[in-house]
Amino acid sequence: MTIMTTRQRFDFILRYFSEHMPEPEPELHYGSPFELLVAVMLSAQCTDKRVNLVTPALFAAYPTAESMAQASVEDILAFIRSVSYPNAKAQHLSTMSKQLVADFGGQVPDSVEALTTLTGVGRKTANVVCAVLWNQPAMAVDTHIFRVAERIGLTTNSKNPLQTEQQLVKFIPAELIPKAHHWLLLHGRYVCTARQPRCLATTPDASPVTPNACPLTPACRFFAQQQSH
């Protein structure tokens, strides 16, 4: 089996997704920059599906930073009790909305640096907002991307999300970075899953599924390693 260079691996994977998923969409539901920021904050260590269940009522009650800034933490908590870490997130949303009003006129800022001055907004959340809203070359690294990038072989010995981000942006063209975030996230969520990546899945009779169960196997370091054992 021919061993790909890192550049060849990136080229294969980016070409595949560009052809087969040219316009990936975020799975979080939102109708404004403020709603996206809130939804991404709520999605930390929580599924997008769960967030999408609670945000319609939350956004109906507090559609803007100004309206949420007037709510108490307890008011916000009542809408988000079913997400992970609801108490902390309710506090963060309350403080963040007040900061938006006081520091940014109620408008979501358009830079990672400004966004990360807001309570509860880390680099990943800021990168998502900048990539989705303004198509900026900001590579957000969540748990799926951190895992998948290393497993496939896009990163090597990455110790934390920032190292993963730095290795990815080195090889991904700036204009593709906003899409690449979604490509890798969705691949990790539905194909290269943590416990049972599709390339190792089995059919009901326990025979191995063909490599076609994952379209990235020709470029995947993990799959090559499994085949060599």
Side-chain angles (χ1 to χ4, degrees):
M1 180 178 293
T2 302
I3 298 177
M4 284 188 171
T5 65
T6 300
R7 169 61 68 187
Q8 290 171 329
R9 187 173 286 121
F10 269 93
D11 288 347
F12 179 96
I13 291 170
L14 294 174
R15 184 169 59 251
Y16 172 83
F17 282 123
S18 294
E19 293 174 359
H20 294 88
M21 196 186 297
E23 297 298 332
E25 295 290 337
E27 294 190 316
L28 288 170
H29 300 162
Y30 68 97
S32 69
F34 176 70
E35 290 184 359
L36 177 65
L37 175 57
V38 170
V40 177
M41 290 175 66
L42 290 175
S43 71
Q45 296 179 289
C46 186
T47 66
D48 289 358
K49 182 178 180 180
R50 169 56 54 186
V51 173
N52 289 336
L53 289 175
V54 305
T55 50
L58 178 68
F59 294 157
Y62 312 117
T64 64
E66 289 82 0
S67 57
M68 188 172 286
Q70 297 299 315
S72 68
V73 173
E74 292 71 24
D75 291 336
I76 298 170
L77 179 61
F79 289 95
I80 66 169
R81 289 188 186 280
S82 64
V83 304
S84 60
Y85 307 104
N87 293 292
K89 289 179 179 178
Q91 182 66 66
H92 288 163
L93 290 178
S94 174
T95 305
M96 178 277 293
S97 59
K98 290 179 172 65
Q99 290 173 313
L100 272 186
V101 173
D103 300 339
F104 300 100
Q107 302 301 305
V108 176
D110 61 358
S111 74
V112 170
E113 292 72 23
L115 281 163
T116 52
T117 66
L118 299 169
T119 296
V121 179
R123 186 173 181 85
K124 188 215 79 171
T125 295
N127 279 342
V128 171
V129 170
C130 286
V132 172
L133 291 180
W134 297 291
N135 203 38
Q136 294 179 9
M139 173 55 73
V141 177
D142 68 355
T143 54
H144 293 297
I145 295 173
F146 181 77
R147 181 189 76 250
V148 166
E150 188 74 19
R151 181 185 277 171
I152 292 174
L154 299 181
T155 61
T156 301
N157 297 324
S158 179
K159 300 295 190 297
N160 54 59
L162 181 58
Q163 288 185 8
T164 296
E165 177 186 339
Q166 292 169 338
Q167 291 187 48
L168 291 176
V169 300
K170 181 179 178 180
F171 288 95
I172 300 174
E175 67 273 14
L176 290 182
I177 287 175
K179 294 181 179 181
H181 160 75
H182 293 298
W183 288 336
L184 293 176
L185 185 155
L186 294 171
H187 188 69
R189 184 173 290 169
Y190 298 113
V191 180
C192 195
T193 53
R195 294 185 179 181
Q196 181 79 336
R198 283 195 184 178
C199 65
L200 298 186
T202 56
T203 57
D205 63 358
S207 61
V209 170
T210 67
N212 292 332
C214 171
L216 303 186
T217 51
C220 179
R221 181 173 63 196
F222 173 80
F223 185 76
Q225 291 169 345
Q226 297 302 308
Q227 295 297 98
S228 65
H229 289 167

